[in-house]
Amino acid sequence: MLLLPATMFHLLLVARSGPARLLGLPPYLPGPEALWSPWALLLWLTWLGLQAAFYLLPARKMAEGQELKDKTRLRYPINGFQALVLTALLVGLGVSAGLPLGMLTEMLLPLAFVATLTAFIFSLLLYLKALIAPASALAPGGNSGNPIYDFFLGRELNPRICSFDCKYFCELRPGLIGWVLINLALLVQEAELRGSPSLAMWLVNGFQLLYVGDALWYEEAVLTTMDITHDGFGFMLAFGDLAWVPFTYSLQAQFLLYHPQPLELSMASVICLINAVGYCIFRGANSQKNTFRKNPSDPRVAGLETISTATGRQLLVSGWWGMVRHPNYLGDLIMALAWSLPCGVSHLLPYFYLLYFTALLVHREARDEQQCLQKYGLAWREYCRRVPYRIVPYIY
Ligand SMILES: NC(=O)C1=CN([C@@H]2O[C@H](COP(=O)(O)OP(=O)(O)OC[C@H]3O[C@@H](n4cnc5c(N)ncnc54)[C@H](OP(=O)(O)O)[C@@H]3O)[C@@H](O)[C@H]2O)C=CC1
Ligand SMILES: CC(C)CCC[C@@H](C)[C@H]1CC=C2C3=C(CC[C@@]21C)[C@@]1(C)CC[C@H](O)C[C@@H]1CC3
């Protein structure tokens, strides 16, 4: 809980330092005046309020979540993409009215500080709220009895205030949309400093906008992720969603603002190709599984080979899911590489996301594997026999 914020501040500080060494000491330790700003607090609370208001707007669709312990299902608004578009319109209006968006880059440290503070306070409130929640509302993982562990993992599975789902809201809105807004501010600031944004900055902005746009367009798919169906809402997700995602996932664009990198058109084309390959695998695999889970006789997936399980559900063993057991992770990792390459190879810092993400996905894959083994038993073992590689064919 201390190491994660410390890492985030380290990254923010070294990204703007001359040597930009991932493993070096930060150039200075920020004092309270560099971290605390009432304006940053006001901006952050306005941002959360705005995204909460967008969440509450009428949605094009209400989706049902997975079945819960008490056999009920929660309902979720599907209007994340609408929130992204409304945010873009509002920011566009603001910029055309003279809003200095580039100034946001000067406020990243105090904004990250208030986001961290919010995550701690929010997690504490969530922990207390879980004390009065019924047993059926608790998450399988975060109720060990060790308060520090439970505070970190989260005790309640789907904490809600009336129909407002705190975890679902945080997972996709303020952090993800905040990430692309910070990227855009860095692009605007670069244009102000150097006359125009660099090609590398355009690529990083474009790739990450595609990723965030995709997540919000296919928002319903998040309802089947382990974050929503299995993990409680505690410090890990609150900090991850509200602080870690916007302030560390924008690291490549931060690095580029302070360390401009030349990029040939030919190299840029190769990087675009790598991102496109990663995206096709990521989207193809995710859509294939979602289509199959919704309706196994859908013509797009009906011809695929499957294994039956004792639960009545089937597992795909051909198509993307016959290549490796987590093709979507493979695509995601290839995209992560494409996001770092525009930053050149002179520094390790812009590759932090790739390194962290590899560790996160290897760990996540192992957790998912355990859950699937528990759920599907022998059928899962058979799947592992037929599809022996986890993420990278013939390697891992
Ligand atoms: N950028 C980031 O920071 C992060 C991005 N992600 C991305 O989010 C997306 C969702 O990831 P995540 O929630 O981890 O997991 P997945 O979308 O991979 O879902 C795993 C589940 O899929 C089902 N499944 C597994 N194998 C098969 C099969 N052969 N046939 C049919 N169903 C199968 C199982 O659930 P069941 O059988 O119950 O349906 C399993 O529990 C991924 O694309 C990932 O890359 C994830 C984490 C962080
Ligand atoms: C701070 C910790 C080390 C870990 C925090 C993890 C979180 C940042 C991630 C856990 C699962 C996530 C997912 C996404 C973003 C990152 C977090 C919140 C997506 C929304 C990214 C876009 C994809 O299309 C779907 C992802 C679902 C899981």
Side-chain angles (χ1 to χ4, degrees):
M1 276 185 277
L2 297 179
L3 200 63
L4 284 170
T7 307
M8 181 182 76
F9 284 110
H10 173 76
L11 294 171
L12 281 166
L13 289 170
V14 290
R16 62 184 63 200
S17 73
R21 285 177 51 206
L22 175 60
L23 301 174
L25 285 176
Y28 63 94
L29 281 184
E33 68 294 341
L35 291 177
W36 174 252
S37 143
W39 290 112
L41 179 65
L42 187 68
L43 188 62
W44 176 246
L45 293 179
T46 310
W47 175 250
L48 291 182
L50 182 74
Q51 291 306 324
F54 289 161
Y55 177 94
L56 293 171
L57 285 179
R60 68 181 154 96
K61 181 178 171 188
M62 292 297 288
E64 282 202 331
Q66 303 283 95
E67 195 176 270
L68 301 172
K69 268 192 225 157
D70 63 3
K71 304 286 171 213
T72 60
R73 285 175 193 267
L74 294 171
R75 286 165 61 75
Y76 298 86
I78 303 297
N79 59 4
F81 195 78
Q82 178 182 314
L84 177 68
V85 173
L86 288 175
T87 308
L89 285 176
L90 216 60
V91 171
L93 272 178
V95 170
S96 54
L99 185 88
L101 185 59
M103 290 283 285
L104 194 63
T105 60
E106 309 288 323
M107 294 180 77
L108 289 186
L109 269 184
L111 279 172
F113 183 72
V114 291
T116 307
L117 213 59
T118 320
F120 269 107
I121 297 171
F122 196 23
S123 318
L124 187 65
L125 295 176
L126 289 167
Y127 184 87
L128 296 177
K129 180 179 178 313
L131 294 176
I132 51 165
S136 62
L138 300 181
N143 291 282
S144 66
N146 176 338
I148 298 178
Y149 181 83
D150 296 346
F151 175 83
F152 182 77
L153 270 197
R155 299 191 58 212
E156 197 174 342
L157 186 59
N158 303 296
R160 285 188 159 208
I161 303 163
C162 301
S163 65
F164 189 93
D165 192 294
C166 303
K167 186 167 60 168
Y168 176 67
F169 167 72
C170 288
E171 179 101 353
L172 284 171
R173 317 291 176 102
L176 276 192
I177 304 178
W179 169 21
V180 289
L181 186 62
I182 291 175
N183 273 352
L184 181 65
L186 290 156
L187 182 144
V188 168
Q189 185 73 349
E190 195 189 36
E192 276 168 20
L193 281 177
R194 305 199 180 94
S196 66
S198 61
L199 181 55
M201 184 67 98
W202 276 118
L203 288 195
V204 168
N205 263 262
F207 294 161
Q208 299 184 347
L209 178 63
L210 170 72
Y211 189 69
V212 170
D214 175 277
L216 294 167
W217 184 261
Y218 295 100
E219 187 179 17
E220 205 175 332
V222 94
L223 298 178
T224 56
T225 60
M226 67 172 88
D227 311 69
I228 301 291
T229 61
H230 186 268
D231 296 344
F233 194 28
F235 180 79
M236 182 183 79
L237 278 181
F239 176 78
D241 293 342
L242 298 177
W244 186 257
V245 167
F247 298 102
T248 65
Y249 283 29
S250 58
L251 190 65
Q252 286 101 350
Q254 290 179 44
F255 170 82
L256 285 173
L257 177 64
Y258 301 102
H259 307 85
Q261 301 290 320
L263 185 62
E264 298 281 326
L265 217 54
S266 53
M267 186 57 191
S269 317
V270 173
I271 298 174
C272 285
L273 190 69
I274 297 177
N275 194 64
V277 168
Y279 181 72
C280 286
I281 301 178
F282 166 84
R283 181 53 24 232
N286 279 328
S287 291
Q288 195 169 66
K289 176 163 69 71
N290 293 340
T291 310
F292 181 72
R293 279 285 172 252
K294 267 192 197 155
N295 175 17
S297 35
D298 185 302
R300 283 169 294 176
V301 289
L304 294 174
E305 232 185 300
T306 58
I307 302 179
S308 303
T309 75
T311 63
R313 293 184 118 190
Q314 291 175 311
L315 291 168
L316 290 167
V317 266
S318 67
W320 290 113
W321 296 82
M323 181 171 81
V324 283
R325 299 206 292 273
H326 263 101
N328 47 354
Y329 290 3
L330 175 66
D332 222 335
L333 285 169
I334 296 174
M335 282 192 285
L337 173 68
W339 300 353
S340 303
L341 287 174
C343 304
V345 288
S346 56
H347 290 76
L348 186 59
L349 186 70
Y351 292 82
F352 170 80
Y353 177 74
L354 181 62
L355 299 174
Y356 138 82
F357 198 42
T358 305
L360 180 109
L361 289 185
V362 165
H363 180 250
R364 200 172 165 93
E365 197 278 339
R367 285 173 67 204
D368 189 49
E369 185 97 358
Q370 249 183 5
Q371 285 167 28
C372 286
L373 190 60
Q374 237 174 31
K375 225 176 343 183
Y376 300 125
L378 281 178
W380 186 259
R381 285 196 198 284
E382 170 63 7
Y383 178 47
C384 295
R385 196 189 60 76
R386 304 251 315 251
V387 184
Y389 291 98
R390 294 165 190 263
I391 302 179
V392 188
Y394 305 105
I395 295 180
Y396 179 72

